[in-house]
Amino acid sequence: MPPGWPLRGKRRVLATRVFGVDAHRLVSPRTGAEHEFFIVDCVDWCNIVPLTRDRRVVMVRQHRYGTGEETLELPGGMIDASDPSPLEAARRELLEETGYHAPLVEPTGVIAPNPAMQSNRCWSFLARDVERVGEPRLDGGEDIEVVTVPLDEIPARIQRGEICHALVVVAFAYALGLRAP
Amino acid sequence: MPPGWPLRGKRRVLATRVFGVDAHRLVSPRTGAEHEFFIVDCVDWCNIVPLTRDRRVVMVRQHRYGTGEETLELPGGMIDASDPSPLEAARRELLEETGYHAPLVEPTGVIAPNPAMQSNRCWSFLARDVERVGEPRLDGGEDIEVVTVPLDEIPARIQRGEICHALVVVAFAYALGLRAP
């Protein structure tokens, strides 16, 4: 098993509203040499597979600035310091982005979005019997359309590339499981 | 369908060996207001599910600086400018990290690691009949142990959180498919 790499020091080289970047100086236990790695430091994230009683998934279409394209995603976002738990953060994001309330929520898994260069985790949840209770409440930087998609169509939409956000695919992989090889 | 957000300008605020960070000034088509978003700019990545003839997956254990933990991952990495294609990049990474050669490689899918704040894609592949032809060739910043895992165990290892890298789960989701709901 590879040993850990001792941390000799770190310094913040960039701070933005959504993430910071830290330069870590680490020592290779194999060679003794020092290497510098840049780590994107984000708070933890969450996302949720919200199922209606008629087996539809409540999803969001939005323009994404990273890829410059429209995506079909699950509700989710940053876990705020004011959220009592990751589960409550997921419930809050669902309500804010879609106007749906989730009475029954269960955790399905926790993933590292990119352990090579990010320190954070994304917590995934599954909600049943979600119901529309109001309008979405979007902040100025959001621009979201709510759509519902039959659960049965999800595997094919992933295989076709229509659902193409890694963390959304992971949440569905946790909720549905992978096919036995 | 949400309209695109016009780009009013961008500037590079950080450059590292593995990624850069750009500040994009975008205009909301809904409110007309200008918002600044920070985008992590990386080259495209690749990963590969390498299957031996006896249905084992060739994987790598390594210490990851982002999370500070050891992970069990698929071979993969950055697609270099000198790689003839994403497929050849995946074959090269497999050989370098594990010493296995992949005679038969097929593309399985392309994912956006994080369309909210990253511009790049990760290309996933499936290789059959891989064979060990030599020793791994690691660079100074890598410290990798090669292990083989029965393909049948992969879904359970993902559900248990033993495989916890989002892009690795995505590659297995593409290679195996999700269970029908």
Side-chain angles (χ1 to χ4, degrees):
Chain A
M1 189 178 297
W5 288 47
L7 177 68
R8 195 160 285 174
K10 68 175 171 177
R11 64 196 162 90
R12 175 137 299 198
V13 293
L14 179 71
T16 82
R17 201 174 59 251
V18 175
F19 61 88
V21 179
D22 296 317
H24 290 216
R25 284 182 298 117
L26 299 166
V27 183
S28 166
R30 182 162 61 87
T31 66
E34 193 174 289
H35 295 268
E36 192 173 52
F37 296 96
F38 290 88
I39 306 299
V40 177
D41 178 43
C42 306
V43 299
D44 280 6
W45 299 326
C46 62
N47 61 17
I48 187 164
V49 177
L51 289 182
T52 62
R53 273 210 186 98
D54 57 349
R55 288 170 59 86
R56 296 179 76 90
V57 187
V58 180
M59 301 188 71
V60 289
R61 279 194 194 280
Q62 61 191 311
H63 181 80
R64 285 304 206 172
Y65 326 107
T67 50
E69 289 177 2
E70 188 193 279
T71 57
L72 178 61
E73 298 186 17
L74 291 169
M78 292 193 284
I79 299 176
D80 296 337
S82 57
D83 287 315
S85 65
L87 187 151
E88 291 302 332
R91 185 175 260 156
R92 174 185 58 70
E93 287 285 353
L94 173 64
L95 186 64
E96 286 176 6
E97 293 189 350
T98 70
Y100 279 72
H101 171 64
L104 303 166
V105 183
E106 61 183 283
T108 54
V110 182
I111 201 87
N114 189 337
M117 56 177 253
Q118 283 177 227
S119 53
N120 71 331
R121 299 296 202 282
C122 181
W123 303 65
S124 290
F125 297 91
L126 173 63
R128 295 172 202 280
D129 299 349
V130 302
E131 283 186 306
R132 194 157 189 286
V133 296
E135 293 296 319
R137 296 191 307 274
L138 304 181
D139 74 36
E142 289 180 318
D143 199 12
I144 288 175
E145 182 191 3
V146 180
V147 296
T148 67
V149 176
L151 182 61
D152 293 348
E153 293 180 8
I154 296 297
R157 285 186 188 233
I158 289 172
Q159 290 291 343
R160 280 205 299 273
E162 200 182 318
I163 294 170
C164 67
H165 184 319
L167 299 173
V168 172
V169 172
V170 168
F172 280 120
Y174 281 144
L176 298 177
L178 296 194
R179 228 167 25 209
Chain B
M1 190 177 300
W5 288 48
L7 177 67
R8 195 160 284 174
K10 70 174 171 178
R11 64 194 162 89
R12 175 135 301 199
V13 293
L14 179 71
T16 81
R17 202 174 57 249
V18 175
F19 61 89
V21 179
D22 296 320
H24 290 216
R25 284 182 299 118
L26 299 165
V27 182
S28 166
R30 182 161 62 85
T31 67
E34 192 173 290
H35 294 267
E36 191 173 54
F37 296 96
F38 290 88
I39 306 298
V40 178
D41 179 42
C42 306
V43 299
D44 280 5
W45 298 327
C46 63
N47 61 18
I48 187 164
V49 177
L51 289 183
T52 62
R53 273 209 184 101
D54 57 351
R55 287 169 59 86
R56 296 180 75 91
V57 186
V58 181
M59 300 188 71
V60 288
R61 279 195 195 279
Q62 61 192 311
H63 182 80
R64 285 304 205 171
Y65 325 108
T67 51
E69 289 175 3
E70 189 193 280
T71 58
L72 177 62
E73 299 186 17
L74 291 168
M78 294 194 284
I79 299 176
D80 295 338
S82 57
D83 287 315
S85 65
L87 187 151
E88 290 303 331
R91 185 175 262 158
R92 173 185 57 70
E93 286 284 353
L94 173 65
L95 186 64
E96 286 177 4
E97 293 189 349
T98 71
Y100 279 73
H101 170 66
L104 304 165
V105 184
E106 61 183 282
T108 54
V110 183
I111 200 86
N114 189 338
M117 57 177 250
Q118 281 178 229
S119 53
N120 70 331
R121 298 295 202 283
C122 181
W123 302 65
S124 290
F125 298 90
L126 172 64
R128 294 173 203 279
D129 299 348
V130 302
E131 282 186 305
R132 193 156 190 286
V133 295
E135 292 297 318
R137 295 192 305 274
L138 304 181
D139 73 37
E142 288 180 320
D143 198 12
I144 287 174
E145 182 192 2
V146 179
V147 295
T148 67
V149 176
L151 182 61
D152 293 347
E153 294 180 8
I154 296 298
R157 287 187 188 232
I158 289 172
Q159 291 290 343
R160 280 204 300 273
E162 201 182 318
I163 295 170
C164 67
H165 184 319
L167 299 172
V168 172
V169 172
V170 168
F172 280 120
Y174 282 143
L176 297 177
L178 296 194
R179 231 171 18 212

